[in-house]
Amino acid sequence: MTSTTSHAQVAYDKIEVGTTLTASGIALGLFSKPIPLPEGQWEVVSKHEEALSLTGGRSDSPGTTPRVSLTLRNLDRQGGPLFAMALNFTPNSLPINWGNQPCTTDNPVGLVDDFGLNASAMLFACARGDAISNFRQLLASAPNHPNSWVKSTLASLTPYASDFPVSAVLINVYGNKFRGKSMGITFLLRADANLDASLAYRGHLQGWIHETGTRWMKVLDNEATPLPGPATYWASK
């Protein structure tokens, strides 16, 4: 398969499996700022498009809106912890009431950040993070996994499992704007320490998560912003 590499923004409807994206991001149209990506060469290993059903009076527009989902692997990690990402977005700015749920987690040792917002916020964002002790094993089971997100999102990474760390941290940042777009990004990081046991490592990630979520809200609000990836955590510092 031949990759298409570009250092400029790539229009979302031109992206195919094998396309390589950069921090310049994904173009959504003439009046929309691009979706930024962290530094790296991001190869698209899967792309799915679906018609998202709008039920319960959530919109005065047609009953569906398109949603694009991408899975990306980092070809240029340079020792950094961020090795893959999953991204989903609605490219059209339709007048939609997204109907959010509270930003909480059932995992007592999971990371969570609600950015001081409640579910009725006009500009909503939520971040959650969890450790995955054997990520390669999860990838091996992904093609037939009972969880639909794992199957649809991670199965495309299974052929590259040996390139990825055994222990990982999954961080999901998502949000939406009232009568605007919905977007989510999932970061797959090498676990540089034990997330469940190390308060210092948790604090290291929590600070980056909060900054990333704040920038993600700017993207949702159609502002231009870079999206820095996480720094390596050095347990000895």
Side-chain angles (χ1 to χ4, degrees):
M1 183 176 295
T2 301
S3 292
T4 303
T5 304
S6 174
H7 294 285
Q9 298 162 15
V10 179
Y12 79 92
D13 55 348
K14 303 299 183 185
I15 293 173
E16 301 175 351
V17 171
T19 299
T20 301
L21 308 174
T22 68
S24 298
I26 299 170
L28 298 179
L30 182 62
F31 299 107
S32 295
K33 296 296 189 293
I35 301 175
L37 300 175
E39 288 294 331
Q41 298 288 322
W42 295 98
E43 182 188 17
V44 178
V45 294
S46 75
K47 178 183 181 180
H48 302 287
E49 298 183 59
E50 62 180 317
L52 186 64
S53 178
L54 304 175
T55 59
R58 290 166 56 191
S59 175
D60 50 14
S61 296
T64 63
T65 191
R67 179 167 62 185
V68 179
S69 298
L70 306 173
T71 303
L72 315 172
R73 70 175 183 127
N74 194 349
L75 302 177
D76 187 26
R77 291 171 59 189
Q78 299 185 354
L82 181 59
F83 60 88
M85 297 189 303
L87 180 68
N88 67 79
F89 54 91
T90 55
N92 296 339
S93 295
L94 297 178
I96 298 171
N97 176 6
W98 291 102
N100 299 302
Q101 299 297 317
C103 182
T104 59
T105 178
D106 295 331
N107 183 355
V109 294
L111 298 173
V112 65
D113 194 332
D114 65 5
F115 306 99
L117 303 171
N118 57 43
S120 62
M122 303 288 279
L123 185 63
F124 176 80
C126 177
R128 299 188 181 98
D130 288 293
I132 305 176
S133 59
N134 196 330
F135 181 70
R136 291 182 184 175
Q137 182 176 332
L138 177 63
L139 285 186
S141 66
N144 299 300
H145 203 279
N147 181 286
S148 60
W149 184 87
V150 171
K151 185 174 182 178
S152 64
T153 305
L154 298 186
S156 57
L157 295 173
T158 300
Y160 313 103
S162 62
D163 297 332
F164 301 145
V166 173
S167 298
V169 176
L170 185 152
I171 295 170
N172 184 34
V173 181
Y174 66 94
N176 48 66
K177 183 176 182 179
F178 178 67
R179 301 180 78 80
K181 293 182 174 68
S182 173
M183 299 182 188
I185 187 166
T186 301
F187 301 93
L188 296 168
L189 318 179
R190 179 188 65 231
D192 287 332
N194 187 329
L195 179 66
D196 297 344
S198 173
L199 292 179
Y201 184 48
R202 292 173 66 84
H204 169 82
L205 289 180
Q206 197 83 58
W208 170 72
I209 289 170
H210 188 80
E211 174 65 19
T212 298
T214 301
R215 291 175 183 269
W216 201 244
M217 282 190 281
K218 290 183 178 181
V219 177
L220 286 163
D221 209 23
N222 203 32
E223 295 183 41
T225 181
L227 195 67
T232 298
Y233 172 76
W234 302 102
S236 60
K237 67 180 180 180

